[in-house]
Amino acid sequence: MQHAVRSRAAIRTGLTPVPRPRTPSVASLMDADALRVLHRAARALLDDLPDLTDRLVALLREQEPAYRTALTMDPTATWQEAHRSLRHSVTSLLDPRGARDAARRCSWRIGAARAEQGLPLDALLHAFRLGGSLVWQRLVEETSRTAPEDVRLLVHVAADVWNFVDEHCTLVADAYRQTEWQVGRRRENRARLLAAGLLDGTSRIADLPEAAQALELPEHGRYLVVAVAGQNPARSDAARAVVLPGVRVHWHAGADVDYGIVLADAGDDGLPQPPSPGRGPGAQVPGVRIGIGSAVDGLASVGDARRLADTALEICPQAGGTVRLADHLPAALVASSPELGGALAERVLGPLLRLEPADREVLLETLTTWLDCDGSAQRAGERLYCHRNTVLNRLRRCEQLTGRSLARPADVVEISLALTARRVLRD
């Protein structure tokens, strides 16, 4: 006689396994008498199936914490699930060929449903093994009660009964893992959509609680956005290092720019604390540009934080580096209005910019260095490897060409902004 179950290799991985032609099996040890004993006991189990289900549910409540929770939340659905599974199992003992596919579909659906609900796989497999043990125990008990002399015959069906349990455990595990993967993909895709909505400012207020849960970030908090641009994998490495360990962040990968939604610390500027050398926001990776925006309040304002991070990224040197927007506000103003920045550079530096390239670059470098040295000709000369008087002579020429006085604060502000505009717009 054929076995009641097939080998593991025959198990499909689809959501609804399709019946396949049965292949010839090895000769079974069961003889006609053993089969008669099995069927008689199985019919008795079917007649007493509610009690059998109660016993299984009681065992699950006693031995499996995950099922205790399920029974507390929805006892009726859990009982019905156990009842269906046991009915298919016992029916398969009576009619292996006719009941096999329905039993397999039932087990697959249970595995998929429990994966959707998040019940641990170990708990689910334990439940199936408990069910198999309980069916075998009741087969022995029923035969011992009605025909003790026939108990010895059950040894011939033991292998088939436990092969059935083993097959369905494998089937349930396959269904669970496939569904778990699908659930994970759906969750990842949903989180990506929610993060994209936050970053581009199109999220609805009603979506914020879901976004907070999906991204594992509080709805109300202080946030900043970090924008990272460059070639992968260097960009990905820089993205992982840009935020200090322990800081909560959700990374959203894009085609050209990766964005990190960072839960800011309680510092005065809302930024993560300065890192140790070579790590964190101050670290530089060649070819990777990092823009760190200013902090905003709440997930609802992440779109504004992203725009600030984009502005910081715009003023980052093309060769690579890190720019905190709060430290480069004049450059940010220029980047925010490039037309006005270009007009300012032309109005203030126009005559200087029309000099011969070599002459022009010397004067621009001297002017920029003098401003960086807080107006000290001595320090500027040291940095430029020339005498302070040379610096002063160059500065006087700049004043003559631009019509601005470096002794007048308003003119110095104009010159500084014009130099910034030229650098930012040129980059």
Side-chain angles (χ1 to χ4, degrees):
M1 179 176 176
Q2 291 179 319
H3 283 293
V5 298
R6 294 187 297 164
S7 67
R8 293 187 185 183
I11 297 176
R12 286 174 53 84
T13 57
L15 286 177
T16 53
V18 177
R20 294 182 177 180
R22 188 177 177 89
T23 56
S25 62
V26 297
S28 173
L29 292 177
M30 290 191 299
D31 55 21
D33 288 340
L35 188 61
R36 173 181 52 80
V37 172
L38 174 65
H39 287 180
R40 182 180 61 205
R43 281 191 290 269
L45 263 62
L46 275 181
D47 293 339
D48 201 20
L49 198 57
D51 179 66
L52 185 65
T53 304
D54 288 340
R55 289 181 62 176
L56 176 57
V57 169
L59 285 172
L60 291 174
R61 188 188 300 277
E62 175 186 344
Q63 299 184 23
E64 268 300 336
Y67 269 93
R68 280 200 294 272
T69 302
L71 285 165
T72 300
M73 295 177 61
D74 195 344
T76 301
T78 304
W79 191 94
Q80 290 174 345
E81 175 189 286
H83 185 268
R84 283 194 303 272
S85 181
L86 289 171
R87 177 166 52 82
H88 282 292
S89 298
V90 177
T91 302
S92 294
L93 298 177
L94 294 168
D95 184 12
R97 184 185 297 274
R100 180 186 68 247
D101 294 319
R104 295 175 73 242
R105 284 193 292 269
C106 176
S107 294
W108 186 278
R109 285 193 292 268
I110 290 174
R114 286 307 189 181
E116 290 271 5
Q117 296 163 7
L119 185 85
L121 177 57
D122 287 346
L124 181 59
L125 293 176
H126 187 202
F128 266 75
R129 293 189 180 101
L130 280 176
S133 297
L134 187 57
V135 168
W136 175 251
Q137 179 183 343
R138 288 298 299 272
L139 288 172
V140 174
E141 289 175 354
E142 179 63 24
T143 303
S144 298
R145 185 180 65 83
T146 58
E149 68 281 3
D150 291 337
V151 171
R152 60 181 177 80
L153 294 174
L154 289 179
V155 69
H156 298 296
V157 301
D160 285 330
V161 170
W162 288 107
N163 284 342
F164 178 90
V165 174
D166 184 59
E167 178 192 20
H168 281 257
C169 283
T170 302
L171 185 66
V172 164
D174 288 344
Y176 187 101
R177 293 189 181 101
Q178 180 173 323
T179 305
E180 185 180 44
W181 180 84
Q182 294 171 344
V183 169
R185 285 295 301 273
R186 290 200 302 268
R187 187 180 297 117
E188 290 173 4
N189 289 337
R190 182 58 179 163
R192 180 171 178 79
L193 289 174
L194 290 168
L198 292 175
L199 289 165
D200 62 25
T202 60
S203 288
R204 301 176 303 172
I205 296 298
D207 291 334
L208 294 178
E210 183 187 359
Q213 182 178 11
L215 306 185
E216 299 182 352
L217 295 170
E219 182 179 350
H220 304 288
R222 206 146 160 79
Y223 288 96
L224 60 89
V225 171
V226 176
V228 184
Q231 295 297 319
N232 279 318
R235 187 174 82 198
S236 300
D237 294 339
R240 286 192 294 270
V242 72
V243 179
L244 290 173
V247 175
R248 294 168 67 180
V249 57
H250 177 84
W251 285 103
H252 180 81
D256 301 312
V257 181
D258 293 342
Y259 292 102
I261 304 174
V262 182
L263 181 62
D265 287 344
D268 292 339
D269 60 3
L271 294 171
Q273 295 301 311
S276 57
R279 293 206 59 187
Q284 295 188 8
V285 178
V288 174
R289 298 158 53 234
I290 301 171
I292 302 176
S294 301
V296 298
D297 291 321
L299 283 178
S301 300
V302 164
D304 296 331
R306 192 268 305 166
R307 285 186 284 275
L308 294 173
D310 282 342
T311 300
L313 191 64
E314 285 182 33
I315 60 180
C316 235
Q318 290 298 320
T322 300
V323 169
R324 292 174 181 263
L325 187 67
D327 298 335
H328 297 82
L329 292 179
L333 287 173
V334 170
S336 299
S337 182
E339 296 83 4
L340 291 178
L344 176 65
E346 175 59 31
R347 178 178 177 82
V348 175
L349 302 176
L352 195 155
L353 296 176
R354 284 185 280 276
L355 295 174
E356 290 295 325
D359 197 14
R360 178 186 67 217
E361 294 306 320
V362 167
L363 293 180
L364 287 174
E365 183 183 19
T366 301
L367 193 54
T368 301
T369 304
W370 179 78
L371 288 170
D372 289 343
C373 292
D374 300 325
S376 170
Q378 180 67 37
R379 287 163 52 199
E382 293 172 357
R383 188 175 296 184
L384 294 170
Y385 302 103
C386 63
H387 196 276
R388 65 180 298 275
N389 289 339
T390 302
V391 173
L392 293 174
N393 289 335
R394 292 174 183 174
L395 294 178
R396 278 193 292 270
R397 190 177 176 204
C398 289
E399 290 178 316
Q400 293 169 358
L401 288 169
T402 62
R404 266 72 176 173
S405 171
L406 296 178
R408 187 181 300 121
D411 288 354
V412 173
V413 170
E414 276 195 341
I415 291 173
S416 177
L417 284 174
L419 288 170
T420 298
R422 180 177 181 274
R423 175 181 61 79
V424 169
L425 299 178
R426 183 176 59 182
D427 288 343

